[in-house]
């Protein structure tokens, strides 16, 4: 006997699904922005000739790259509530789970962005840095005005690819019972007895967004090469 699909829950539940998708977007965008900014700092620190700074950056990157993301999410879910409530004084009414997820994803992804950015910096000819220093620029000015702009131009496809992976991994916030898009879809499926349909629909949405972003990455790669 064939399984009879029932897609009737999707349209009435779309406002709730959209709310979940917004939460997923908040986590993804925050982690991309903060991850790239902090990852850039880590990359520069790791290339520093001052060993303590370089060692700290290397320890940070290797630690986060060696720990499962789910474990990092759970750790920050235990740490962040005490921090934001007792130290920062944020009201307990705030969605601590969302804040915890944003912090965890941002710090975790920074380790991966750092390696991408470090490779991009190292791909720039040392002659350009030498020329900038010869013109009287400081090391920081050389990095900010000469090296990083060229490195980021070449790294855009890789940064976007990591962003796609981040978007897909955002569904792991289910361990925090945070109602992101995937969690909302599964909750609706459990409520209406349409778990299979809602999971398939959620997978389709993730596929469409990820595939569209992948096409953008391929387009940018062709432009970068040309």
């Amino acid at each position: 006997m064939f399984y009879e699909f029932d897609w009737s829950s999707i349209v009435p539940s779309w406002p709730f699904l959209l709310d979940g998708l917004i939460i997923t977007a908040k986590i993804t965008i925050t982690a991309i922005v903060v991850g790239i900014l902090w990852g850039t700092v880590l990359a520069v620190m790791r290339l520093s000739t001052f060993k303590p700074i370089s060692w700290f950056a290397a320890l940070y990157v290797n630690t986060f790259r060696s720990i499962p993301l789910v474990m990092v999410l759970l750790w920050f879910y235990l740490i962040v509530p005490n921090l934001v409530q007792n130290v920062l004084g944020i009201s307990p009414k705030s969605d601590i789970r969302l804040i915890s997820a944003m912090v965890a994803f941002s710090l975790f992804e920074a380790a991966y962005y750092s390696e991408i950015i470090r490779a991009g910096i190292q791909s720039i000819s040392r002659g350009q840095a030498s020329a900038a220093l010869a013109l009287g620029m400081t090391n920081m000015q050389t990095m900010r005005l000469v090296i990083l702009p060229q490195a980021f131009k070449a790294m855009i496809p890789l940064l976007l690819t990591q962003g796609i992976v981040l978007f897909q991994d955002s569904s792991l916030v289910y361990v925090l019972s945070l109602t992101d898009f995937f969690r909302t879809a599964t909750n609706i499926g459990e409520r209406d007895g349409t778990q299979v349909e809602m999971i398939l629909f959620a997978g389709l949405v993730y596929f469409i967004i990820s595939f569209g972003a992948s096409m953008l990455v391929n387009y940018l790669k062709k432009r970068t090469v040309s």
Side-chain angles (χ1 to χ4, degrees):
M1 184 175 180
F2 293 104
Y3 181 84
E4 295 184 4
F5 290 97
D6 180 9
W7 307 100
S8 60
S9 298
I10 295 176
V11 175
S13 303
W14 182 244
F16 303 103
L17 292 169
L18 183 59
D19 289 339
L21 191 59
I22 291 174
I23 291 177
T24 296
K26 286 181 179 179
I27 295 172
T28 303
I29 294 172
T30 300
I32 289 175
V33 173
V34 177
I36 290 177
L37 292 176
W38 178 226
T40 302
V41 174
L42 288 170
V44 174
M45 290 172 65
R46 196 163 185 185
L47 294 171
S48 172
T49 56
F50 186 56
K51 293 301 182 183
I53 292 179
S54 178
W55 289 339
F56 167 79
L59 178 62
Y60 180 100
V61 171
N62 291 328
T63 298
F64 275 95
R65 285 166 62 94
S66 302
I67 301 174
L69 177 54
V70 172
M71 189 177 296
V72 174
L73 286 169
L74 291 174
W75 281 355
F76 278 90
Y77 180 58
L78 298 175
I79 295 172
V80 171
N82 291 328
L83 177 65
V84 298
Q85 293 179 24
N86 299 330
V87 179
L88 302 180
I90 296 179
S91 171
K93 293 182 180 180
S94 303
D95 194 340
I96 299 299
R97 293 171 301 176
L98 178 58
I99 297 174
S100 301
M102 287 179 174
V103 172
F105 269 100
S106 297
L107 298 183
F108 184 85
E109 291 298 322
Y112 289 86
Y113 279 121
S114 172
E115 290 299 276
I116 296 173
I117 295 167
R118 182 167 69 98
I121 292 173
Q122 292 177 322
S123 69
I124 304 302
S125 172
R126 291 185 178 181
Q128 298 196 37
S130 300
L133 293 173
L135 291 173
M137 290 187 179
T138 64
N139 287 328
M140 289 301 297
Q141 287 175 328
T142 300
M143 181 63 68
R144 181 169 55 89
L145 300 175
V146 178
I147 305 300
L148 285 178
Q150 296 181 70
F152 270 103
K153 183 178 180 181
M155 290 184 300
I156 287 177
L158 289 175
L159 295 175
L160 286 177
T161 299
Q162 185 62 33
I164 295 171
V165 175
L166 166 59
F167 168 70
Q168 296 169 344
D169 288 344
S170 65
S171 60
L172 291 176
V173 297
Y174 77 88
V175 299
L176 308 182
S177 298
L178 186 62
T179 53
D180 69 320
F181 180 74
F182 183 74
R183 180 78 181 193
T184 301
T186 55
N187 287 344
I188 293 171
E190 292 174 0
R191 181 196 67 189
D192 299 339
T194 56
Q195 294 96 328
V196 175
E197 291 85 350
M198 294 308 300
I199 290 176
L200 288 174
F201 174 72
L204 178 62
V205 172
Y206 276 101
F207 170 78
I208 292 173
I209 295 175
S210 298
F211 182 76
S214 297
M215 295 296 290
L216 175 61
V217 169
N218 292 332
Y219 170 74
L220 292 174
K221 281 183 179 178
K222 292 178 180 178
R223 289 199 60 181
T224 301
V225 172
S226 61

